[in-house]
Amino acid sequence: MQTELLSIWRESRKTVLLITHQIDEAVFLSDRVIVFSARPGSVREEGPDRYCRRPRNLELKRTAEFVALVDRIWEADRSRSPG
């Protein structure tokens, strides 16, 4: 499904806002990932996925850069949670 979404984007070049709880999906599909804080919601971390050049393929998910970015976002999200 993710590669199909990339294919649709490649054809239409429309701006898309994707809201997901799946970090690797956000990193794979996006040009920019925004992590929100808990209530009240505000931007906690924001950054472009500059290494994710287009066109993208599933092999990207196996690279060290991809895994490092997913880990960084996971840690940012984890640090916002109480306890």
Side-chain angles (χ1 to χ4, degrees):
M1 180 60 87
Q2 293 173 0
T3 55
E4 182 64 21
L5 285 172
L6 289 176
S7 176
I8 292 168
W9 177 86
R10 193 171 35 252
E11 292 175 17
S12 69
R13 300 289 182 157
K14 302 285 184 183
T15 299
V16 177
L17 174 64
L18 172 70
I19 300 170
T20 181
H21 289 92
Q22 190 175 349
I23 296 171
D24 70 315
E25 178 177 62
V27 172
F28 183 67
L29 294 175
S30 69
D31 293 317
R32 194 166 98 201
V33 174
I34 300 172
V35 178
F36 286 92
S37 68
R39 293 185 185 110
S42 61
V43 174
R44 181 168 182 88
E45 185 170 331
E46 177 178 2
D49 296 349
R50 297 230 182 263
Y51 75 92
C52 288
R53 309 262 187 261
R54 294 185 187 269
R56 297 179 189 159
N57 56 43
L58 289 174
E59 287 76 32
L60 173 68
K61 290 185 172 191
R62 300 183 66 164
T63 66
E65 286 179 307
F66 183 89
V67 172
L69 182 54
V70 169
D71 287 347
R72 190 183 94 212
I73 293 169
W74 188 85
E75 283 297 327
D77 183 57
R78 183 173 165 227
S79 68
R80 76 174 172 89
S81 303

Coordinates of all heavy atoms in Angstrom, one line a residue:
M1 N 0.8 -1.2 0.0 CA 0.0 0.0 0.0 C 0.9 1.3 0.0 O 0.6 2.2 -0.7 CB -0.9 0.0 1.2 CG -1.8 1.2 1.3 SD -2.9 1.4 -0.1 CE -4.3 0.4 0.4
Q2 N 2.0 1.2 0.7 CA 2.8 2.4 0.8 C 3.5 2.7 -0.5 O 3.5 3.9 -0.9 CB 3.9 2.2 1.9 CG 3.3 2.2 3.3 CD 4.3 1.8 4.3 OE1 5.5 1.6 4.1 NE2 3.9 1.7 5.6
T3 N 3.9 1.7 -1.2 CA 4.5 2.0 -2.6 C 3.4 2.4 -3.5 O 3.7 3.2 -4.4 CB 5.2 0.7 -3.1 OG1 4.3 -0.4 -3.1 CG2 6.5 0.4 -2.3
E4 N 2.2 2.0 -3.4 CA 1.1 2.4 -4.2 C 0.8 3.9 -4.0 O 0.6 4.7 -4.9 CB -0.2 1.6 -4.0 CG -1.3 2.0 -4.9 CD -1.1 1.7 -6.4 OE1 -0.2 0.9 -6.7 OE2 -1.8 2.4 -7.2
L5 N 0.8 4.3 -2.7 CA 0.6 5.7 -2.4 C 1.7 6.6 -3.0 O 1.5 7.7 -3.5 CB 0.6 5.9 -0.9 CG -0.7 5.5 -0.2 CD1 -0.5 5.6 1.3 CD2 -1.8 6.4 -0.6
L6 N 3.0 6.1 -3.0 CA 4.1 6.8 -3.6 C 3.9 7.0 -5.1 O 4.1 8.0 -5.7 CB 5.4 6.2 -3.3 CG 5.9 6.3 -1.9 CD1 7.2 5.5 -1.7 CD2 6.1 7.8 -1.5
S7 N 3.4 5.9 -5.7 CA 3.1 5.9 -7.1 C 2.0 6.9 -7.5 O 2.1 7.7 -8.5 CB 2.7 4.5 -7.6 OG 2.3 4.5 -8.9
I8 N 1.0 6.9 -6.7 CA -0.1 7.9 -6.9 C 0.4 9.3 -6.8 O 0.1 10.2 -7.6 CB -1.3 7.7 -5.9 CG1 -2.0 6.3 -6.3 CG2 -2.3 8.8 -6.0 CD1 -2.9 5.9 -5.2
W9 N 1.2 9.6 -5.7 CA 1.8 10.9 -5.6 C 2.7 11.3 -6.8 O 2.6 12.4 -7.2 CB 2.7 11.0 -4.3 CG 3.3 12.3 -4.1 CD1 2.8 13.4 -3.6 CD2 4.6 12.7 -4.6 NE1 3.6 14.5 -3.7 CE2 4.8 14.1 -4.3 CE3 5.6 12.0 -5.3 CZ2 5.9 14.8 -4.7 CZ3 6.8 12.7 -5.6 CH2 6.9 14.1 -5.3
R10 N 3.5 10.3 -7.2 CA 4.4 10.6 -8.3 C 3.6 11.1 -9.6 O 4.0 12.0 -10.3 CB 5.2 9.4 -8.7 CG 6.4 9.6 -9.6 CD 7.3 8.4 -9.7 NE 6.7 7.1 -9.7 CZ 6.8 6.2 -8.6 NH1 7.4 6.6 -7.5 NH2 6.2 5.0 -8.7
E11 N 2.4 10.5 -9.8 CA 1.6 10.9 -10.9 C 0.9 12.2 -10.7 O 0.8 13.0 -11.6 CB 0.6 9.8 -11.2 CG 1.2 8.5 -11.7 CD 0.2 7.4 -11.9 OE1 -1.0 7.7 -11.9 OE2 0.6 6.2 -11.9
S12 N 0.4 12.5 -9.5 CA -0.4 13.7 -9.3 C 0.3 14.9 -8.7 O -0.1 16.0 -9.0 CB -1.5 13.3 -8.3 OG -1.0 13.1 -7.0
R13 N 1.4 14.7 -8.0 CA 2.2 15.7 -7.4 C 1.4 16.7 -6.5 O 1.7 17.8 -6.4 CB 3.0 16.5 -8.5 CG 3.9 15.8 -9.3 CD 5.1 15.3 -8.5 NE 6.0 14.6 -9.4 CZ 7.3 14.5 -9.2 NH1 7.8 15.0 -8.2 NH2 8.0 13.8 -10.1
K14 N 0.4 16.1 -5.9 CA -0.4 16.9 -5.0 C 0.2 16.9 -3.6 O 0.9 16.0 -3.2 CB -1.9 16.3 -4.9 CG -2.6 16.2 -6.2 CD -3.0 17.6 -6.6 CE -3.8 17.4 -7.9 NZ -4.3 18.6 -8.4
T15 N -0.1 17.9 -2.8 CA 0.3 18.0 -1.4 C -0.6 17.0 -0.6 O -1.9 17.0 -0.8 CB 0.1 19.4 -0.8 OG1 1.0 20.2 -1.6 CG2 0.5 19.4 0.6
V16 N 0.0 16.2 0.2 CA -0.8 15.2 1.0 C -0.4 15.4 2.5 O 0.8 15.5 2.8 CB -0.4 13.8 0.6 CG1 -1.1 12.7 1.4 CG2 -0.7 13.6 -0.9
L17 N -1.4 15.4 3.3 CA -1.2 15.4 4.8 C -1.6 14.0 5.3 O -2.7 13.5 5.1 CB -2.1 16.4 5.5 CG -2.1 16.4 7.0 CD1 -0.7 16.8 7.5 CD2 -3.1 17.4 7.5
L18 N -0.6 13.3 5.9 CA -0.8 11.9 6.4 C -0.6 12.0 7.9 O 0.4 12.4 8.4 CB 0.3 11.0 5.7 CG 0.3 9.6 6.3 CD1 -0.9 8.8 5.9 CD2 1.6 8.9 5.8
I19 N -1.6 11.4 8.5 CA -1.5 11.3 10.0 C -1.5 9.8 10.3 O -2.4 9.1 9.9 CB -2.8 12.0 10.7 CG1 -2.8 13.5 10.3 CG2 -2.7 11.8 12.2 CD1 -4.0 14.2 10.7
T20 N -0.4 9.4 11.0 CA -0.3 8.0 11.3 C 0.5 7.8 12.6 O 1.2 8.7 13.1 CB 0.6 7.3 10.2 OG1 0.7 5.9 10.5 CG2 1.9 7.9 10.0
H21 N 0.3 6.7 13.3 CA 1.0 6.3 14.5 C 2.1 5.4 14.2 O 2.9 5.0 15.0 CB 0.0 5.7 15.5 CG -0.9 6.6 16.1 ND1 -2.2 6.8 15.5 CD2 -0.9 7.5 17.1 CE1 -2.8 7.8 16.2 NE2 -2.0 8.2 17.2
Q22 N 2.3 5.0 12.9 CA 3.3 4.1 12.5 C 4.5 4.9 12.0 O 4.5 5.5 10.9 CB 2.8 3.2 11.4 CG 3.8 2.1 11.1 CD 3.2 1.1 10.1 OE1 2.0 1.2 9.7 NE2 4.0 0.2 9.5
I23 N 5.6 5.0 12.8 CA 6.7 5.9 12.6 C 7.4 5.5 11.3 O 7.7 6.4 10.5 CB 7.7 5.9 13.8 CG1 7.0 6.5 15.0 CG2 8.9 6.7 13.4 CD1 7.8 6.3 16.3
D24 N 7.7 4.3 11.0 CA 8.4 3.9 9.8 C 7.6 4.3 8.5 O 8.1 4.7 7.5 CB 8.8 2.5 9.7 CG 7.7 1.5 9.6 OD1 6.6 1.7 10.3 OD2 7.8 0.5 8.8
E25 N 6.2 4.2 8.6 CA 5.4 4.6 7.5 C 5.5 6.1 7.3 O 5.6 6.6 6.2 CB 3.9 4.2 7.8 CG 3.0 4.7 6.7 CD 1.5 4.3 7.0 OE1 1.0 4.7 8.1 OE2 1.0 3.5 6.3
A26 N 5.5 6.9 8.4 CA 5.6 8.3 8.3 C 6.9 8.7 7.6 O 7.0 9.6 6.7 CB 5.5 9.0 9.7
V27 N 8.0 8.1 8.0 CA 9.3 8.4 7.5 C 9.4 8.0 6.0 O 9.9 8.7 5.2 CB 10.5 7.7 8.3 CG1 11.8 7.9 7.6 CG2 10.5 8.3 9.7
F28 N 8.9 6.8 5.7 CA 9.0 6.3 4.3 C 8.2 7.2 3.3 O 8.6 7.4 2.2 CB 8.5 4.9 4.3 CG 8.6 4.2 2.9 CD1 9.8 4.0 2.3 CD2 7.5 3.9 2.2 CE1 9.9 3.4 1.1 CE2 7.5 3.3 1.0 CZ 8.8 3.1 0.4
L29 N 7.0 7.6 3.7 CA 6.1 8.3 2.8 C 6.3 9.8 2.8 O 5.9 10.5 1.8 CB 4.6 8.0 3.2 CG 4.2 6.6 3.0 CD1 2.8 6.4 3.5 CD2 4.3 6.2 1.5
S30 N 6.9 10.4 3.8 CA 6.9 11.8 3.9 C 8.2 12.5 3.5 O 9.2 11.9 3.3 CB 6.6 12.2 5.4 OG 7.8 11.8 6.2
D31 N 8.0 13.8 3.2 CA 9.2 14.7 3.0 C 9.5 15.4 4.3 O 10.6 16.0 4.4 CB 8.8 15.7 1.9 CG 8.7 15.0 0.6 OD1 9.5 14.2 0.3 OD2 7.8 15.4 -0.2
R32 N 8.6 15.4 5.2 CA 8.8 16.1 6.5 C 7.9 15.3 7.6 O 6.8 15.0 7.3 CB 8.3 17.5 6.4 CG 8.7 18.4 7.5 CD 8.5 19.8 7.2 NE 7.3 20.2 7.8 CZ 6.6 21.3 7.4 NH1 7.0 22.0 6.4 NH2 5.5 21.6 8.1
V33 N 8.5 15.1 8.7 CA 7.8 14.4 9.8 C 7.7 15.4 11.0 O 8.7 16.1 11.4 CB 8.6 13.2 10.3 CG1 8.0 12.6 11.6 CG2 8.7 12.1 9.2
I34 N 6.5 15.5 11.6 CA 6.3 16.4 12.7 C 5.8 15.5 13.9 O 4.9 14.8 13.7 CB 5.2 17.5 12.4 CG1 5.7 18.3 11.2 CG2 4.9 18.3 13.6 CD1 4.7 19.3 10.6
V35 N 6.5 15.7 15.0 CA 6.1 15.0 16.2 C 5.4 16.0 17.1 O 5.9 17.0 17.5 CB 7.3 14.4 16.9 CG1 6.9 13.6 18.2 CG2 8.0 13.4 16.0
F36 N 4.2 15.6 17.6 CA 3.4 16.5 18.4 C 3.6 16.1 19.9 O 3.8 14.9 20.2 CB 1.9 16.5 18.1 CG 1.6 17.2 16.8 CD1 1.6 16.5 15.6 CD2 1.4 18.6 16.8 CE1 1.3 17.2 14.4 CE2 1.1 19.2 15.7 CZ 1.1 18.6 14.5
S37 N 3.4 17.0 20.8 CA 3.5 16.8 22.2 C 2.1 16.2 22.7 O 1.1 16.3 21.9 CB 3.8 18.0 23.0 OG 2.8 19.0 22.9
A38 N 2.1 15.8 23.9 CA 0.8 15.4 24.5 C 0.0 16.7 24.8 O 0.5 17.8 24.5 CB 1.1 14.6 25.8
R39 N -1.2 16.5 25.3 CA -2.0 17.7 25.6 C -1.4 18.8 26.4 O -0.7 18.4 27.4 CB -3.3 17.2 26.3 CG -4.1 16.4 25.4 CD -5.5 16.0 26.0 NE -6.2 15.1 25.2 CZ -6.3 13.8 25.4 NH1 -5.9 13.3 26.5 NH2 -7.0 13.1 24.6
P40 N -1.5 20.0 26.1 CA -2.1 20.5 24.8 C -1.1 20.2 23.7 O 0.1 20.4 23.8 CB -2.3 22.0 25.0 CG -1.3 22.3 26.0 CD -1.1 21.1 26.9
G41 N -1.6 19.8 22.6 CA -0.8 19.4 21.4 C 0.0 20.6 20.9 O -0.6 21.7 20.6
S42 N 1.2 20.4 20.7 CA 2.1 21.4 20.1 C 3.2 20.7 19.4 O 3.5 19.5 19.7 CB 2.7 22.4 21.1 OG 3.4 21.8 22.1
V43 N 3.9 21.3 18.5 CA 5.0 20.7 17.7 C 6.2 20.5 18.7 O 6.7 21.4 19.2 CB 5.4 21.5 16.5 CG1 6.6 20.9 15.8 CG2 4.2 21.6 15.5
R44 N 6.6 19.2 18.8 CA 7.7 18.9 19.7 C 9.0 18.8 18.8 O 10.0 19.2 19.3 CB 7.4 17.6 20.4 CG 8.5 17.2 21.3 CD 8.1 16.0 22.2 NE 9.1 15.6 23.1 CZ 9.3 16.2 24.3 NH1 8.5 17.1 24.7 NH2 10.3 15.8 25.0
E45 N 8.9 18.2 17.7 CA 10.1 18.0 16.8 C 9.6 18.0 15.4 O 8.5 17.5 15.1 CB 10.8 16.7 17.1 CG 12.1 16.6 16.3 CD 12.9 15.4 16.8 OE1 12.9 15.0 18.0 OE2 13.6 14.8 15.9
E46 N 10.4 18.6 14.5 CA 10.0 18.8 13.1 C 11.3 18.7 12.3 O 12.3 19.3 12.7 CB 9.3 20.1 12.9 CG 8.9 20.4 11.5 CD 8.2 21.7 11.4 OE1 7.9 22.4 12.4 OE2 7.8 22.0 10.2
G47 N 11.2 18.0 11.2 CA 12.4 18.0 10.4 C 12.1 17.3 9.0 O 11.3 16.4 8.9
P48 N 12.8 17.7 8.0 CA 12.7 17.1 6.7 C 13.5 15.8 6.7 O 14.4 15.6 7.4 CB 13.4 18.1 5.8 CG 14.4 18.8 6.7 CD 13.8 18.8 8.0
D49 N 13.0 14.9 5.9 CA 13.7 13.6 5.6 C 14.6 13.8 4.4 O 14.3 13.3 3.3 CB 12.7 12.5 5.4 CG 11.8 12.2 6.5 OD1 12.1 12.7 7.6 OD2 10.9 11.4 6.4
R50 N 15.6 14.6 4.5 CA 16.4 15.0 3.4 C 17.1 13.8 2.7 O 17.3 13.8 1.5 CB 17.4 16.0 3.8 CG 16.8 17.3 4.2 CD 17.5 18.4 3.5 NE 16.9 19.7 4.0 CZ 15.9 20.3 3.4 NH1 15.4 19.9 2.3 NH2 15.5 21.4 3.9
Y51 N 17.4 12.7 3.5 CA 18.0 11.6 2.9 C 17.1 10.7 2.1 O 17.5 9.9 1.3 CB 18.6 10.7 4.0 CG 17.6 9.9 4.7 CD1 17.3 8.6 4.3 CD2 16.9 10.5 5.8 CE1 16.3 7.9 5.0 CE2 16.0 9.8 6.5 CZ 15.7 8.5 6.1 OH 14.7 7.8 6.7
C52 N 15.8 10.9 2.2 CA 14.8 10.1 1.5 C 14.5 10.7 0.1 O 13.5 11.4 -0.1 CB 13.5 10.0 2.3 SG 13.6 9.0 3.7
R53 N 15.5 10.5 -0.7 CA 15.3 11.0 -2.1 C 14.3 10.3 -2.8 O 14.0 9.1 -2.6 CB 16.7 10.9 -2.8 CG 17.8 11.5 -2.1 CD 18.2 12.9 -2.5 NE 19.4 13.3 -1.9 CZ 19.4 14.1 -0.9 NH1 18.3 14.6 -0.3 NH2 20.5 14.6 -0.4
R54 N 13.7 10.9 -3.8 CA 12.7 10.3 -4.6 C 13.3 9.9 -5.9 O 14.2 10.6 -6.4 CB 11.5 11.2 -4.9 CG 10.7 11.5 -3.6 CD 9.5 12.3 -3.9 NE 8.9 12.7 -2.6 CZ 7.9 12.0 -2.0 NH1 7.5 10.9 -2.5 NH2 7.4 12.4 -0.9
P55 N 12.9 8.8 -6.6 CA 11.9 7.8 -6.2 C 12.4 7.0 -5.0 O 13.6 6.7 -4.9 CB 11.7 7.0 -7.4 CG 12.9 7.1 -8.2 CD 13.5 8.4 -7.9
R56 N 11.5 6.5 -4.2 CA 11.8 5.6 -3.1 C 11.3 4.2 -3.4 O 10.4 4.0 -4.1 CB 11.1 6.2 -1.8 CG 11.5 7.5 -1.5 CD 10.8 8.1 -0.3 NE 11.1 9.5 -0.1 CZ 10.4 10.3 0.6 NH1 9.3 9.9 1.1 NH2 10.8 11.6 0.7
N57 N 12.0 3.3 -2.7 CA 11.6 1.9 -2.8 C 11.7 1.3 -1.5 O 12.3 1.9 -0.5 CB 12.4 1.1 -3.9 CG 13.9 1.2 -3.6 OD1 14.3 1.1 -2.5 ND2 14.7 1.4 -4.7
L58 N 11.2 0.1 -1.3 CA 11.1 -0.6 0.0 C 12.5 -0.9 0.6 O 12.7 -1.0 1.8 CB 10.3 -1.8 -0.1 CG 8.8 -1.6 -0.2 CD1 8.1 -3.0 -0.4 CD2 8.2 -0.9 1.0
E59 N 13.5 -1.0 -0.3 CA 14.9 -1.2 0.3 C 15.4 -0.1 1.2 O 16.2 -0.3 2.0 CB 15.9 -1.4 -0.9 CG 15.7 -2.8 -1.6 CD 14.5 -2.8 -2.5 OE1 14.1 -1.8 -3.1 OE2 13.9 -3.9 -2.7
L60 N 14.8 1.1 1.0 CA 15.2 2.3 1.8 C 15.0 1.9 3.3 O 15.8 2.3 4.2 CB 14.3 3.5 1.4 CG 14.4 4.7 2.3 CD1 15.8 5.3 2.2 CD2 13.4 5.7 2.0
K61 N 13.9 1.1 3.6 CA 13.6 0.8 5.0 C 14.7 0.0 5.7 O 14.7 -0.2 6.9 CB 12.3 0.1 5.1 CG 11.1 1.0 4.8 CD 9.8 0.2 5.0 CE 8.6 1.1 4.9 NZ 7.4 0.4 5.4
R62 N 15.6 -0.6 4.9 CA 16.7 -1.4 5.4 C 18.0 -0.7 5.6 O 19.0 -1.3 6.1 CB 16.9 -2.6 4.5 CG 15.6 -3.5 4.4 CD 15.8 -4.7 3.6 NE 16.8 -5.5 4.4 CZ 17.0 -6.8 4.1 NH1 16.3 -7.4 3.2 NH2 17.8 -7.5 4.8
T63 N 18.0 0.6 5.3 CA 19.3 1.4 5.4 C 19.5 1.9 6.8 O 18.5 2.1 7.6 CB 19.3 2.6 4.4 OG1 18.2 3.5 4.9 CG2 19.0 2.2 3.0
A64 N 20.7 2.1 7.2 CA 21.1 2.6 8.5 C 20.5 4.0 8.8 O 20.0 4.3 9.9 CB 22.6 2.6 8.7
E65 N 20.5 4.8 7.8 CA 19.9 6.2 7.9 C 18.4 6.1 8.2 O 18.0 6.9 9.1 CB 20.2 7.0 6.6 CG 21.6 7.5 6.5 CD 21.7 8.3 5.2 OE1 21.3 7.7 4.1 OE2 22.2 9.4 5.2
F66 N 17.7 5.3 7.5 CA 16.3 5.2 7.8 C 16.0 4.7 9.2 O 15.2 5.3 9.9 CB 15.7 4.2 6.8 CG 14.2 4.1 6.9 CD1 13.4 4.9 6.2 CD2 13.6 3.1 7.7 CE1 12.0 4.8 6.2 CE2 12.2 3.0 7.8 CZ 11.4 3.8 7.1
V67 N 16.7 3.6 9.6 CA 16.5 3.1 11.0 C 16.9 4.1 12.0 O 16.2 4.3 13.0 CB 17.3 1.8 11.1 CG1 17.3 1.3 12.6 CG2 16.8 0.7 10.2
A68 N 17.9 4.9 11.8 CA 18.4 5.9 12.7 C 17.3 7.0 12.9 O 17.0 7.5 14.0 CB 19.7 6.5 12.3
L69 N 16.7 7.4 11.8 CA 15.7 8.5 11.8 C 14.4 7.9 12.6 O 13.8 8.6 13.4 CB 15.3 9.0 10.5 CG 14.3 10.1 10.4 CD1 14.7 11.3 11.3 CD2 14.1 10.6 9.0
V70 N 14.0 6.7 12.3 CA 12.9 6.1 12.9 C 13.2 6.1 14.4 O 12.3 6.4 15.3 CB 12.6 4.7 12.4 CG1 11.6 4.0 13.3 CG2 12.0 4.8 11.0
D71 N 14.4 5.7 14.8 CA 14.7 5.6 16.2 C 14.7 7.0 16.9 O 14.2 7.1 18.0 CB 16.1 5.0 16.4 CG 16.1 3.5 16.2 OD1 15.0 2.9 16.1 OD2 17.2 2.9 16.0
R72 N 15.2 8.0 16.2 CA 15.2 9.4 16.7 C 13.8 9.8 17.0 O 13.5 10.4 18.0 CB 15.9 10.3 15.8 CG 16.2 11.7 16.4 CD 16.8 12.6 15.5 NE 15.7 13.4 14.9 CZ 15.8 13.9 13.7 NH1 16.8 13.7 12.9 NH2 14.8 14.6 13.2
I73 N 12.9 9.6 16.0 CA 11.5 10.0 16.2 C 10.8 9.2 17.3 O 10.1 9.8 18.1 CB 10.7 9.9 14.9 CG1 11.3 10.9 13.9 CG2 9.2 10.1 15.1 CD1 10.8 10.7 12.4
W74 N 11.1 7.9 17.4 CA 10.6 7.1 18.5 C 11.0 7.6 19.8 O 10.2 7.7 20.7 CB 11.0 5.7 18.3 CG 10.3 4.7 19.2 CD1 9.1 4.1 19.0 CD2 10.8 4.2 20.5 NE1 8.8 3.3 20.1 CE2 9.8 3.4 21.0 CE3 11.9 4.5 21.2 CZ2 10.0 2.8 22.2 CZ3 12.1 3.9 22.4 CH2 11.1 3.0 22.9
E75 N 12.2 8.0 19.9 CA 12.7 8.5 21.2 C 12.1 9.9 21.5 O 11.7 10.2 22.7 CB 14.3 8.7 21.2 CG 15.0 7.4 21.3 CD 14.8 6.7 22.7 OE1 14.6 7.4 23.7 OE2 14.8 5.5 22.7
A76 N 11.9 10.7 20.5 CA 11.2 12.0 20.8 C 9.8 11.8 21.2 O 9.3 12.5 22.1 CB 11.2 12.8 19.5
D77 N 9.1 10.8 20.6 CA 7.7 10.5 21.0 C 7.7 9.9 22.4 O 6.9 10.3 23.2 CB 7.1 9.6 20.0 CG 5.6 9.3 20.3 OD1 4.9 10.3 20.4 OD2 5.3 8.1 20.5
R78 N 8.6 9.0 22.7 CA 8.7 8.4 24.0 C 8.9 9.3 25.1 O 8.4 9.2 26.2 CB 9.7 7.3 23.9 CG 9.8 6.5 25.2 CD 10.8 5.3 25.0 NE 11.2 4.8 26.2 CZ 12.4 4.5 26.7 NH1 13.4 4.7 25.9 NH2 12.6 4.0 27.8
S79 N 9.8 10.3 24.8 CA 10.1 11.3 25.9 C 9.0 12.2 26.2 O 9.0 12.9 27.2 CB 11.4 12.1 25.5 OG 11.1 12.9 24.4
R80 N 8.0 12.3 25.3 CA 6.9 13.2 25.6 C 5.8 12.6 26.5 O 5.0 13.2 27.1 CB 6.2 13.6 24.3 CG 5.3 12.6 23.7 CD 4.5 13.1 22.5 NE 3.9 12.1 21.8 CZ 2.6 11.6 22.1 NH1 2.0 12.2 23.1 NH2 2.1 10.7 21.4
S81 N 5.9 11.2 26.6 CA 4.9 10.5 27.5 C 5.3 10.5 28.9 O 6.5 10.3 29.2 CB 4.8 9.1 27.0 OG 4.5 9.0 25.6
P82 N 4.4 10.7 29.8 CA 4.7 10.7 31.2 C 5.0 9.3 31.7 O 4.5 8.3 31.2 CB 3.4 11.2 31.9 CG 2.3 11.0 30.9 CD 3.0 11.0 29.5
G83 N 6.0 9.2 32.6 CA 6.3 7.9 33.2 C 7.3 7.2 32.4 O 7.8 6.3 32.2

